[in-house]
Amino acid sequence: TSLAITAVYDVLKYCVIVAIPALATAYVGFSGVLGWPYADKVAKCSAIVCTLLGTLLSISTAQYNKKEPPDLE
């Protein structure tokens, strides 16, 4: 299960750092050219989602790093 949790963490981290900002930027850019609606709302919502997920991931990482390493004896 540790491997599965690590995989979920990695996917969420990728989404927060790369995918969501890239998709939001593309939408906002194309909306100016193609006249797509709600560009400002898409930008604001993506910033909110990235901030929320980034905060939760940071808290999770801090709690994980506080755990004591297993005794190898």
Side-chain angles (χ1 to χ4, degrees):
T1 60
S2 180
L3 185 59
I5 292 170
T6 302
V8 170
Y9 173 83
D10 289 342
V11 168
L12 286 173
K13 185 176 175 183
Y14 175 81
C15 288
V16 169
I17 294 173
V18 177
I20 295 172
L23 290 170
T25 301
Y27 186 90
V28 170
F30 283 128
S31 70
V33 175
L34 302 174
W36 293 351
Y38 309 115
D40 59 332
K41 291 180 181 180
V42 168
K44 289 175 185 176
C45 287
S46 67
I48 291 167
V49 169
C50 284
T51 301
L52 174 64
L53 290 177
T55 301
L56 294 174
L57 287 172
S58 294
I59 292 169
S60 175
T61 300
Q63 289 177 346
Y64 177 80
N65 288 335
K66 274 202 255 183
K67 292 180 182 177
E68 293 184 26
D71 188 19
L72 299 177
E73 292 181 32

